[in-house]
Amino acid sequence: MDDLATCFDQVLADAVRGLRQQVAELRRDVEVIRLVVSDDAGTFFEDWGGLPPVVIDLLVDAGYETPDVVRSASDDDLLAVDGIGPFRLAQIRKALGAQNA
């Protein structure tokens, strides 16, 4: 019976840990949404040169959190981002006014 209780406790602890991670991710998502709907949303998208939100999301999710970071990245680095191909790379370079090899 003790083994079953120990097993149950471990499963419960793992579930709680997973839920805490999900809550942390949701809180981060809420902060992003607040930024987008705030008064600074227009400025936020202007800073990104009018890139489509889906492209911005791909870049931010890959760790490129500001346009300046994207500008300094090589084409090869950006092409390594899941969802960024030659077409989107061209969009990024055109919108942000940078050409990196």
Side-chain angles (χ1 to χ4, degrees), residues 2-5 12 14 19 22-23 26-27 29 34-35 44 57-58 65 70-71 73-74 77 82 87 90:
D2 287 337
D3 289 340
L4 182 59
L12 184 59
D14 290 345
L19 288 172
Q22 288 179 343
V23 168
L26 288 171
R27 285 183 177 149
D29 291 346
R34 283 185 183 147
L35 172 65
F44 176 81
D57 287 344
L58 290 170
E65 296 184 0
V70 174
R71 284 185 193 99
S74 71
D77 288 341
D82 190 36
F87 176 78

